[in-house]
Structures are given as C-alpha cells and as structure tokens.
Amino acid sequence: LATGPRQHNSIFYEIRTYDIKPAKMKEFLEMVNKYFHFRTAHSELVGFWYSELGAMNKVFHIWKYDNFAHRTAVRQALANDKDWQEKFISAALPLMEKQHNEVAYLVPWCQLGKPPKEGGVYEWVTFQMKPGGPALWGEAFQAAINAHINTGYTRLIGVFHTEYGLLNTVHVLWWNESPDQRAAGRHSAHEDARVVAAVRNSVRFLESQQNVLLIPLQCSPLK
C-alpha cells in the first residue's frame, strides 16, 4: 500500500513504553533519575515521562537515531557498559511487567518542537488509522492537527508515524501549561467551526484513539 511522501533523511525515533509493577513505580522513577545519565551518554534522549491519566503505571521515552546502523552501534555499546548494566538494568528489569517499542518517523510536514517554558504537562495521543498510510489520510489528518494548533490553546511537539510496530499508527505529542488549561482549550475548540469541520473530515479514516496525560521526569530533556 502507498505510504505517501518519502522520508527526506534516515533519522528515526524509537518509542519505548514500559509497564511498571504498581508497587514499584516510585522505586523505578527514582532509579531512572539517578542512573539514566549512563544511558544518555550513548545516544540522544528526546523525552521521558510517566503516565498520570489515561494509563496507569506506564513510562514513555523517545530516542533519536541517525539511522539503523547508529542504533545497532548504540545497542552494542550499551551491552558492554558495565555501569549501565549493573547499576540500572539488573535492578530495573525486576520492576517491569512488560516492554514495548516502536520505530517511527516524524511526518514530513512536522519538525520536532519544544515547549515555550518548563513546568507544563504533555499529552500523548495515539491514533490508529485505516490501512493505506498518509497517502490515504495524511491531508485530512494534517488539517485536523493544524485546526487545533490555530486555536492557540496547545503547543504541538511532534507527530510520529510508525514504521515498526502496529502500522498506520500516529502518535501526536502536545504540550500544555496545565491539565486545566488543556481542558478549557479543548472545550473552546469543540465550539470552533473550523476544528469541528476538520475533525469530521479526519475521523473518516480513524479506527481508534487513546489519550494519555504525561508528566516529564527530571532527566527528560523535554520538561
């Protein structure tokens, strides 16, 4: 099936989601903040968050790679990094229930953004789209995203389209000053005729949607 415009470069993002044992969440987050500098010494961390609403006992982190050879080299270096393996991995694995990863690209019309300031909250929205890729639903989806941006209540950080993992999945990362600011903006957007029209056009291609409110960790570059 056609997937739309080709990637302009080989950069991709690995999205990792871990389910943490409920009784061990506090311990896991403390370990991440204490020892994650061993991991970030090897490759670029985009952001690291834990879920607050929409999912429980989950952490999300995103890594940037130049290409697949770069990722392979990083994984090999991590396997040989005694500090990383002994101080973090050996202690963290028993705290986890499940791990999941995806490889995704930024959609061609989006560049990775940053929030205007620290201290806000993030929203991770996962859209499962109908098969066919951006060639089928890309324009309508972009119009719906832009309609929300144009209301001014939220800041777009990135739009990621999966390459490995569940295909035809799009993850959208938003930033808001607070959950209440986000809620007020959403209520206002639902009354905006431009937003309503764009969303109605886009949902023709939508299978499902999940929203998760995320809180950044101390070690996260996106705070």
Side-chain angles (χ1 to χ4, degrees):
L1 295 177
T3 56
R6 292 181 180 272
Q7 294 301 130
H8 298 302
N9 55 50
S10 58
I11 293 173
F12 67 85
Y13 298 84
E14 183 174 3
I15 301 166
R16 287 184 165 245
T17 307
Y18 298 165
D19 287 41
I20 309 302
K21 295 178 180 178
K24 300 296 184 180
M25 190 65 168
K26 182 176 183 293
E27 181 181 350
F28 181 85
L29 296 181
E30 289 174 348
M31 287 185 57
V32 170
N33 283 322
K34 184 176 182 180
Y35 294 119
F36 226 60
H37 61 281
F38 294 125
R39 175 61 184 86
T40 54
H42 291 277
S43 65
E44 182 180 347
L45 174 66
V46 174
F48 201 125
W49 305 265
Y50 67 88
S51 60
E52 180 71 12
L53 296 171
M56 297 187 70
N57 303 303
K58 285 183 179 288
V59 296
F60 296 74
H61 42 126
I62 304 175
W63 299 90
K64 181 180 179 181
Y65 292 103
D66 296 334
N67 49 47
F68 288 97
H70 178 209
R71 182 185 183 275
T72 298
V74 169
R75 301 302 296 175
Q76 291 174 345
L78 287 169
N80 295 319
D81 187 328
K82 290 186 177 180
D83 283 331
W84 174 243
Q85 294 295 330
E86 295 175 4
K87 294 181 179 179
F88 184 82
I89 292 296
S90 61
L93 286 179
L95 310 182
M96 302 180 192
E97 291 189 329
K98 186 167 57 176
Q99 294 175 287
H100 176 71
N101 74 332
E102 298 170 288
V103 166
Y105 294 98
L106 284 171
V107 296
W109 45 268
C110 172
Q111 295 190 9
L112 195 63
K114 292 183 178 181
K117 61 181 180 180
E118 294 185 1
V121 297
Y122 291 79
E123 184 176 9
W124 184 254
V125 187
T126 299
F127 300 91
Q128 186 60 41
M129 309 301 290
K130 293 183 183 298
L136 174 67
W137 43 257
E139 289 185 5
F141 189 87
Q142 181 180 359
I145 293 296
N146 285 335
H148 284 88
I149 294 172
N150 292 338
T151 64
Y153 80 89
T154 188
R155 175 68 67 94
L156 179 66
I157 303 299
V159 181
F160 304 89
H161 176 220
T162 56
E163 181 75 10
Y164 287 98
L166 187 60
L167 296 184
N168 297 297
T169 302
V170 183
H171 301 290
V172 183
L173 184 62
W174 300 95
W175 178 90
N176 291 280
E177 289 189 15
S178 70
D180 286 320
Q181 185 263 346
R182 181 261 184 197
R186 290 281 292 180
H187 290 317
S188 178
H190 290 163
E191 298 175 356
D192 188 313
R194 297 166 299 175
V195 174
V196 172
V199 169
R200 282 179 176 172
N201 189 37
S202 179
V203 297
R204 295 182 294 125
F205 307 106
L206 180 65
E207 298 281 1
S208 66
Q209 176 181 339
Q210 181 183 24
N211 296 37
V212 181
L213 184 71
L214 300 178
I215 307 298
L217 273 68
Q218 179 182 336
C219 68
S220 178
L222 287 175
K223 291 186 174 63

